Amino acid sequence: MNAQTQTLNPAPALIDPFGRHVSYLRVSVTDRCDFRCVYCMAENMSFLPKQDLLTLEELDRLCSAFVAKGVRKLRITGGEPLVRRDIMTLFRSLGRHLDSGALEELTLTTNGSQLTRFADELAACGVKRINVSLDTLYEAKFRAITRWGDLGKVLDGIKAAQKAGMAVKINAVALKGVNEDEVERLVEWAHGDGMDITFIEVMPLGDIEPQRLDQYWPLTQLRARLLDRFTLDDVDYRTGGPARYVRVRETGGRIGFITPLTHNFCESCNRVRITCTGTLYMCLGQEDAADLRTPLRASADDTLISNAIDEAIGRKPKGHDFVYERGRPTVAVGRHMSVTGG
Ligand code: SAM
Ligand code: SF4
């Protein structure tokens, strides 16, 4: 679709039963990863058989069906998206929706391990912003959290992304007793390099016990700790995601807080997620899902897939049920974050 046909014939909006406009799609392109972060994966994960995955062409078709229905932002995630073979083929083909103006933004969430290799190509495909996950600046701690990640490679990857002209935002999971003592340092480091940083509360996803609840550190406490060092001014800035932002007077940079547990953000939720097998999750914190792979494979025409998307959005729930009560999650979701995509 070119920009002109789009203006004449605007894409229909996806509106859920609570009046929320679904304009943001997160796509997990693989469940595999070269790290095993303790809050995300078990050490011995069994991954999906390759034949269950959508091909890159199928992923492109599915994403394009959402774009045709008015999705304006696509975020590619995983698992680690950059370990999927030939993943740049998908970025290159999705770039056409940026060129046409149908898509406003194509972004990526990555652990950064492969960025030195891919940064230039990503930028060439029209990716302007990426999120890199990094919870600590200490090498040994980084290895302990990720089980076998190399901090130096990730830092080099961040530099490569910046050099390629992409804005980098750091995502850090707030981990009690793990990175509690370095949140100020993380903020100063990120802001010193021109990056925003977002802190995320650990969510009860996947069966990765025993330490899940030991890791939970509410962002209300993290924020209180930051206030001892910094002056935080609330700002209106939004990126389409769930983070609420403040600006740090001393550094001039922004900090985002993603607080699914201490502050429920469902009322403004504009997003849905698809897994690498073509399952659509209407909510990160609910089990209800729709199989889009079957209609996708049943016909080369997009009518079936379009109907399946409409039907699923009609079932988007009002909100999630994550609650930690008396130290226990009352409802945990059995699938891992690496399946649904962060
Ligand atoms: N591998 C990429 C990465 O790490 O950025 C993309 C996928 S990862 C699942 C996306 C985000 O989810 C990361 O920022 C990660 O820290 C976060 N994450 C994983 N498990 C989580 C959990 N249980 N609670 C909160 N955030 C989690
Ligand atoms: Fe891999 Fe990202 Fe999960 Fe860490 S958070 S194990 S990098 S998918």
Side-chain angles (χ1 to χ4, degrees):
M1 201 192 306
N2 63 34
Q4 198 184 8
T5 41
Q6 217 227 334
T7 324
L8 295 175
N9 190 7
L14 283 172
I15 308 283
D16 81 0
F18 304 95
R20 294 168 299 190
H21 180 184
V22 177
S23 57
Y24 188 163
L25 177 67
R26 294 193 173 208
V27 187
S28 176
V29 295
T30 177
D31 63 330
R32 286 162 199 256
C33 186
D34 50 347
F35 292 179
R36 293 287 182 282
C37 301
V38 289
Y39 45 76
C40 179
M41 291 195 184
E43 189 156 10
N44 301 309
M45 290 286 287
S46 36
F47 295 108
L48 294 164
K50 291 214 167 113
Q51 66 268 23
D52 286 1
L53 303 196
L54 297 186
T55 64
L56 293 172
E57 293 73 23
E58 286 172 328
L59 280 166
D60 177 68
R61 209 180 130 205
L62 198 48
C63 290
S64 302
F66 276 93
V67 172
K69 288 184 155 299
V71 159
R72 303 279 295 152
K73 294 188 181 195
L74 275 182
R75 178 173 291 280
I76 306 299
T77 178
E80 175 46 42
L82 298 183
V83 302
R84 172 124 191 205
R85 191 189 301 177
D86 290 334
I87 189 63
M88 285 303 134
T89 314
L90 181 65
F91 278 98
R92 274 193 296 274
S93 64
L94 290 174
R96 74 187 184 282
H97 297 303
L98 291 170
D99 296 339
S100 76
L103 195 62
E104 206 173 287
E105 205 177 34
L106 177 60
T107 57
L108 165 75
T109 301
T110 174
N111 66 22
S113 68
Q114 314 290 318
L115 270 177
T116 45
R117 221 171 117 202
F118 291 122
D120 287 339
E121 242 184 303
L122 284 166
C125 295
V127 176
K128 295 201 162 52
R129 284 195 309 134
I130 63 172
N131 290 354
V132 179
S133 304
L134 183 82
D135 309 324
T136 178
L137 289 168
Y138 293 102
E139 217 171 297
K141 211 192 276 185
F142 186 81
R143 194 158 306 117
I145 294 173
T146 60
R147 291 204 181 93
W148 51 70
D150 177 347
L151 176 64
K153 263 196 188 164
V154 173
L155 296 178
D156 287 348
I158 291 171
K159 288 255 166 315
Q162 289 181 314
K163 197 159 160 260
M166 293 185 287
V168 177
K169 191 189 79 170
I170 300 298
N171 277 348
V173 177
L175 297 165
K176 189 169 165 186
V178 178
N179 59 6
E180 241 179 297
D181 57 341
E182 57 172 317
V183 287
E184 301 86 350
R185 184 174 175 223
L186 279 165
V187 168
E188 277 162 354
W189 165 75
H191 290 180
D193 264 341
M195 301 179 286
D196 289 345
I197 179 165
T198 292
F199 291 102
I200 309 173
E201 282 174 346
V202 175
M203 286 176 269
L205 298 174
D207 179 23
I208 318 173
E209 304 328 318
Q211 333 87 319
R212 171 59 47 76
L213 286 167
D214 297 345
Q215 296 167 349
Y216 175 55
W217 185 31
L219 291 193
T220 43
Q221 289 177 20
L222 182 149
R223 192 180 170 125
R225 184 179 163 125
L226 289 177
L227 280 171
D228 287 342
R229 171 81 67 92
F230 302 118
T231 320
L232 308 180
D233 296 318
D234 286 328
V235 287
D236 268 349
Y237 176 76
R238 299 301 294 267
T239 58
R244 301 279 188 281
Y245 284 88
V246 296
R247 190 174 291 285
V248 179
R249 235 180 268 174
E250 290 78 2
T251 63
R254 275 183 298 241
I255 304 178
F257 297 97
I258 300 188
T259 55
L261 302 163
T262 52
H263 175 262
N264 196 309
F265 47 55
C266 305
E267 67 281 356
S268 59
C269 179
N270 60 349
R271 74 207 79 99
V272 291
R273 295 172 160 82
I274 45 178
T275 68
C276 52
T277 56
T279 303
L280 175 68
Y281 283 98
M282 288 73 86
C283 172
L284 181 61
Q286 298 277 0
E287 298 285 6
D288 190 26
D291 165 31
L292 299 183
R293 187 176 56 184
T294 305
L296 189 73
R297 289 185 174 169
S299 151
D301 179 89
D302 283 344
T303 313
L304 290 180
I305 188 77
S306 172
N307 292 345
I309 293 171
D310 287 341
E311 192 275 329
I313 298 300
R315 287 192 275 128
K316 184 168 160 64
K318 193 165 182 193
H320 66 64
D321 297 330
F322 298 142
V323 185
Y324 282 93
E325 221 170 59
R326 283 180 241 104
R328 312 203 132 267
T330 54
V331 176
V333 171
R335 61 185 190 273
H336 294 265
M337 189 72 139
S338 52
V339 172
T340 328

